[in-house]
Amino acid sequence: MADINSTHPHPNMSSMHATGPAEALPVRALTLGDIGDALRRGYADFMAQPSHLLFLALIYPVAGIVIARLTVSYNIFPLLFPLLGGFALLGPFAAVGLYEISRRRELHINSSWLHAFAVLKSPAIRPIATLGGLLTGLFIAWLLSAWLLYRWLMGSVPLTSAESFLVPLFTTVNGWTLIIVGNALGLLFAITAFSLTVVSFPLMLDRHVDIGTAVRTSIAAVEASPRAMMCWGLTITALLVLGTLPVLVGLMVVMPILGHASWHIYRKVVPR
């Protein structure tokens, strides 16, 4: 069956060629009830055809295990937490295929796991890839900042084992300073990534708008309902932490549900 976007282009596709400054689309305020409903809908999307989503979900636990293994092998323990935490920054980009599956289910279009790759043929693939590159740059900047902070506060500590890193981390002033400042810095990066992407990727996929319009709309959505958006961000964080247990395997379920739920958050925030 043909994709609805290929047969009925959305009027906003013309914005991809606009010469003027990008403007945010109208947004609705998000409520706590919307968050609960989006999670229920995300779970329903996952349960409708969970088998074809597992290969997407496997990316996260496998990548996390590889990261942990490399950290231990090369004695770069200070980067283990920044790597695992910062990995979530790339989640909105990695979930684009899940948005497409939710979009097709919403429109009652036949879907299979192959349709997760339909985004590669989307007219919006260029801005989607560009914003994905921006997120990747933000991820690298976070890792560099975390490493420089560690070198400044605890660079003299020899890294021979996990114990040689963890003991001074929790028993020295510099160690606790690293924990507090590092987490504050990570929060800043997380808020930035969240504000830029909370509805950007599904908006570009759905409306084929340019990256400027998508990012401005995402920021406007956060500004329109900061408390509810903060709760949504905390919900994502809590579920990701829960999904890391045991040994990151829970992410096989958590990640697709969050991906689908993010699509439904977009639907609630940006009017048709």
Side-chain angles (χ1 to χ4, degrees):
M1 185 178 294
D3 188 288
I4 191 169
N5 278 341
S6 63
T7 56
H8 301 285
H10 195 280
N12 278 343
M13 286 182 68
S14 60
S15 65
M16 295 180 67
H17 307 287
T19 58
E23 295 183 359
L25 300 181
V27 296
R28 295 192 184 109
L30 185 71
T31 68
L32 297 182
D34 288 335
I35 295 174
D37 185 63
L39 286 170
R40 285 190 291 271
R41 290 173 181 267
Y43 177 76
D45 285 350
F46 173 70
M47 291 304 296
Q49 291 177 307
S51 59
H52 72 258
L53 298 178
L54 289 181
F55 85 102
L56 290 171
L58 274 171
I59 295 173
Y60 293 92
V62 170
I65 292 172
V66 170
I67 287 172
R69 178 62 180 173
L70 290 175
T71 301
V72 173
S73 298
Y74 291 95
N75 289 338
I76 51 174
F77 302 105
L79 286 183
L80 177 58
F81 177 75
L83 279 167
L84 293 177
F87 192 55
L89 295 178
L90 303 177
F93 179 46
V96 170
L98 300 175
Y99 304 151
E100 173 63 13
I101 292 173
S102 283
R103 186 187 74 85
R104 297 181 71 88
R105 288 198 70 240
E106 182 181 89
L107 297 172
H108 304 290
I109 301 175
N110 181 45
S111 65
S112 70
W113 66 270
L114 289 173
H115 289 113
F117 297 99
V119 294
L120 298 176
K121 299 180 180 179
S122 170
I125 185 59
R126 182 170 296 180
I128 287 174
T130 300
L131 187 56
L134 177 62
L135 276 187
T136 302
L138 200 64
F139 174 63
I140 294 173
W142 156 239
L143 292 181
L144 180 60
S145 300
W147 179 252
L148 291 176
L149 183 63
Y150 165 77
R151 294 293 299 172
W152 174 47
L153 291 172
M154 300 182 65
S156 60
V157 177
L159 291 178
T160 57
S161 65
E163 184 180 1
S164 68
F165 168 68
L166 293 175
V167 171
L169 180 67
F170 290 105
T171 59
T172 66
V173 173
N174 279 6
W176 279 104
T177 302
L178 177 63
I179 292 173
I180 295 171
V181 177
N183 278 283
L185 187 62
L187 179 61
L188 179 61
F189 275 94
I191 291 174
T192 300
F194 180 82
S195 299
L196 293 176
T197 64
V198 64
V199 299
S200 295
F201 286 109
L203 176 57
M204 288 188 288
L205 182 64
D206 184 41
R207 303 282 191 92
H208 301 168
V209 301
D210 61 274
I211 187 173
T213 299
V215 169
R216 286 179 180 270
T217 302
S218 187
I219 294 173
V222 174
E223 292 176 342
S225 46
R227 291 184 179 179
M229 283 295 181
M230 180 180 68
C231 289
W232 174 230
L234 291 174
T235 299
I236 293 173
T237 301
L239 289 177
L240 286 176
V241 171
L242 183 64
T244 61
L245 306 173
V247 199
L248 307 177
V249 174
L251 292 179
M252 293 178 60
V253 174
V254 170
M255 286 305 305
I257 290 176
L258 284 177
H260 290 305
S262 294
W263 169 265
H264 295 291
I265 289 290
Y266 154 70
R267 275 291 186 225
K268 294 176 181 298
V269 170
V270 183
R272 292 175 184 265

